[in-house]
């Protein structure tokens, strides 16, 4: 069984943020109820997948991000992507997925949030090259 764990955090800039992680766990550890999926060992309630969410994926045009976008789409969610295309590609995205070509450090990102109004943010944007991050620390911080 694959599940999305949702734990709400304090509101920032009017956006309710959820920490989400996808898990693969044996079915025997869960009980499905009307209110969601319950982990029988920990007592944690998980998202049941009955509601459609508006999800913004940062770094969604990259290899990993695009697969996460595909998983959200398959689960019936509405998805939009923010990516600066420094290592990602438009062709990694399914047709019809809105792509905002913006660096996550750019102040224009707030315009994307205002336009899209996501309920969930799945942050995948990162620099994969650790050496570059150490050698060019100032340019990474902008």
């Amino acid at each position: 069984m694959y599940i999305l764990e949702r734990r709400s955090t304090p509101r920032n800039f009017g956006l309710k943020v959820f920490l989400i992680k996808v898990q693969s766990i044996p079915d025997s550890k869960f009980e499905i109820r009307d209110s969601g999926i319950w982990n029988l060992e920990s007592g944690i309630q998980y998202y049941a997948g009955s509601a459609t969410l508006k999800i913004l994926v940062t770094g969604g045009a990259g290899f990993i991000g695009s697969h996460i976008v595909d998983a959200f789409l398959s689960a019936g969610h509405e998805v939009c992507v923010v990516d600066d295309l420094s290592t990602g590609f438009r062709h990694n995205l399914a047709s019809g997925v809105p792509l905002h070509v913006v660096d996550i450090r750019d102040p224009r990102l707030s315009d994307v949030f205002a336009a899209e109004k996501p309920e969930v943010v799945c942050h995948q944007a990162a620099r994969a090259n650790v050496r570059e991050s150490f050698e060019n620390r100032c340019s990474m911080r902008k």
Side-chain angles (χ1 to χ4, degrees):
M1 172 183 291
Y2 291 93
I3 57 172
L4 297 177
E5 179 179 343
R6 294 193 334 172
R7 295 185 184 181
S8 60
T9 61
R11 291 180 181 259
N12 294 323
F13 306 108
L15 173 70
K16 189 170 185 180
V17 179
F18 294 94
L19 303 178
I20 298 179
K21 67 179 179 182
V22 179
Q23 295 179 319
S24 175
I25 300 179
D27 293 346
S28 61
K29 293 185 179 183
F30 290 91
E31 180 178 307
I32 298 174
R33 302 178 188 167
D34 290 339
S35 59
I37 300 171
W38 290 83
N39 183 321
L40 299 176
E41 292 179 355
S42 68
I44 295 174
Q45 179 185 4
Y46 295 92
Y47 174 60
S50 59
T52 298
L53 296 171
K54 175 72 178 261
I55 303 173
L56 182 143
V57 180
T58 64
F63 178 77
I64 294 170
S66 63
H67 283 83
I68 291 171
V69 167
D70 291 343
F72 285 144
L73 290 171
S74 294
H77 299 295
E78 185 180 347
V79 181
C80 62
V81 170
V82 169
D83 201 301
D84 65 1
L85 299 179
S86 58
T87 58
F89 302 96
R90 288 180 193 271
H91 68 262
N92 284 345
L93 295 173
S95 64
V97 174
L99 171 62
H100 300 273
V101 182
V102 178
D103 188 300
I104 61 170
R105 301 168 294 179
D106 191 315
R108 292 178 300 152
L109 185 62
S110 61
D111 296 336
V112 174
F113 276 81
E116 294 290 349
K117 297 177 179 48
E119 298 169 88
V120 174
V121 175
C122 180
H123 179 54
Q124 300 299 315
R127 297 283 181 213
N129 187 334
V130 176
R131 177 173 284 157
E132 178 186 0
S133 296
F134 277 100
E135 291 173 354
N136 301 313
R137 290 179 195 167
C138 291
S139 67
M140 294 291 155
R141 287 188 273 194
K142 273 191 182 175

